């Protein structure tokens, strides 16, 4: 399985801002979007291009353009929503599928409550967006859902990861590349990543 850790200084600096308890909702939301955009830049590295002719003010050039691959962004509700606009700013024609999964607070198991896919999901390369890869329960369930729906490929963009989540994905979805900014130490008894950044959904939407 492939895990890509984005060590770029700009990303790591922004990650520190997310971790900081003093970072307020507005700033937190903006920085999640900025990191998502930078992660998208890396995640789309292998998109195919084709040569096209373009007329510059000086001459006709042969130049690269994206070869029209169909993409779907799949935010896991609700924290994944915070990453959508940042990614869409780089790939505005991507479709957005939604998967509503929450972790049962007692069992920590994923419970599905809403799913809406584009009709042609089976023709699309899918990018799951979830800022936190903790137990891996929701990410693995989302990957299973997308594969059953026929998605062409699945990748996971997760800002902050923990070893149990990475391990679960390795066991259940070894073909799904994980793109993340760091792998933290462990999970606490409530399933929070340590040191982590707290509850990503609450910090994005100001619900705490
Ligand atoms: N989800 C969060 O929002 N934070 C964690 O630390 C783990 C899961």
């Amino acid at each position: 399985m492939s895990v890509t850790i984005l060590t770029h200084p700009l990303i790591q600096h922004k990650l520190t801002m997310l971790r900081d308890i003093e970072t307020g909702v507005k700033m937190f939301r903006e920085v999640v979007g900025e990191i998502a955009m930078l992660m998208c830049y890396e995640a789309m590295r292998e998109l195919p291009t084709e040569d096209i002719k373009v007329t510059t003010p000086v001459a006709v050039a042969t130049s690269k353009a994206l070869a029209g691959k169909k993409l779907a962004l799949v935010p896991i509700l609700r924290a994944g929503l915070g990453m959508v606009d940042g990614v869409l700013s780089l790939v505005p024609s991507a479709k957005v599928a939604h998967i509503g999964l929450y972790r049962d607070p007692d069992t920590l198991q994923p419970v599905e409550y809403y799913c809406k896919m584009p009709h042609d999901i089976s023709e699309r390369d899918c990018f799951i967006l979830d800022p936190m890869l903790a137990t891996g329960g929701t990410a693995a369930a989302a990957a299973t859902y997308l594969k059953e729906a026929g998605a062409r490929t699945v990748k996971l963009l997760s800002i902050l990861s923990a070893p149990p989540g990475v391990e679960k994905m390795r066991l259940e979805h070894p073909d799904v590349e994980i793109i993340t900014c760091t792998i933290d130490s462990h999970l606490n008894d409530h399933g929070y990543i340590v040191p982590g950044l707290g509850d990503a959904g609450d910090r994005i939407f100001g619900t705490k």
Side-chain angles (χ1 to χ4, degrees):
M1 184 186 72
S2 154
V3 182
T4 303
I5 300 178
L6 304 180
T7 57
H8 193 290
L10 285 178
I11 293 182
Q12 292 300 316
H13 180 83
K14 290 176 189 297
L15 176 59
T16 302
M17 294 171 75
L18 294 187
R19 290 191 191 279
D20 190 342
I21 194 172
E22 300 295 338
T23 299
V25 173
K26 179 173 184 288
M27 178 67 76
F28 191 92
R29 192 185 298 139
E30 286 172 5
V31 174
V32 165
E34 289 169 2
I35 293 180
M37 185 184 68
L38 295 167
M39 294 178 79
C40 169
Y41 178 76
E42 182 63 34
M44 308 283 169
R45 179 179 287 283
E46 284 153 26
L47 284 186
T49 57
E50 59 190 359
D51 286 340
I52 62 164
K53 293 259 189 286
V54 60
T55 304
T56 81
V58 179
V60 174
T62 302
S63 195
K64 304 279 181 210
L66 290 175
K69 214 163 170 48
K70 289 183 165 183
L71 309 177
L73 312 181
V74 190
I76 299 182
L77 304 180
R78 75 189 153 135
L81 291 175
M83 298 174 73
V84 172
D85 285 351
V87 178
L88 277 179
S89 66
L90 291 188
V91 285
S93 60
K95 295 283 190 289
V96 182
H98 293 87
I99 295 191
L101 294 162
Y102 69 90
R103 279 194 310 170
D104 183 290
D106 298 324
T107 65
L108 301 185
Q109 291 305 305
V111 181
E112 181 188 316
Y113 64 93
Y114 181 78
C115 283
K116 184 78 179 173
M117 300 285 125
H119 66 90
D120 57 355
I121 192 76
S122 60
E123 295 166 26
R124 293 185 179 271
D125 292 302
C126 294
F127 297 83
I128 299 171
L129 308 179
D130 189 352
M132 310 300 276
L133 177 61
T135 62
T138 48
T144 301
Y145 186 96
L146 289 170
K147 287 179 181 177
E148 286 174 1
R152 283 164 46 98
T153 63
V154 181
K155 290 188 186 193
L156 169 64
L157 275 61
S158 202
I159 294 174
L160 217 149
S161 301
V166 174
E167 179 61 8
K168 186 168 180 76
M169 290 299 288
R170 188 183 70 77
L171 289 174
E172 296 187 16
H173 297 288
D175 55 319
V176 173
E177 181 185 1
I178 299 172
I179 296 158
T180 188
C181 307
T182 190
I183 300 177
D184 270 8
S185 160
H186 64 281
L187 300 181
N188 67 16
D189 293 343
H190 303 287
Y192 280 93
I193 298 177
V194 182
L197 50 74
D199 188 302
D202 281 341
R203 295 195 66 190
I204 290 168
F205 297 109
T207 41
K208 212 166 216 171

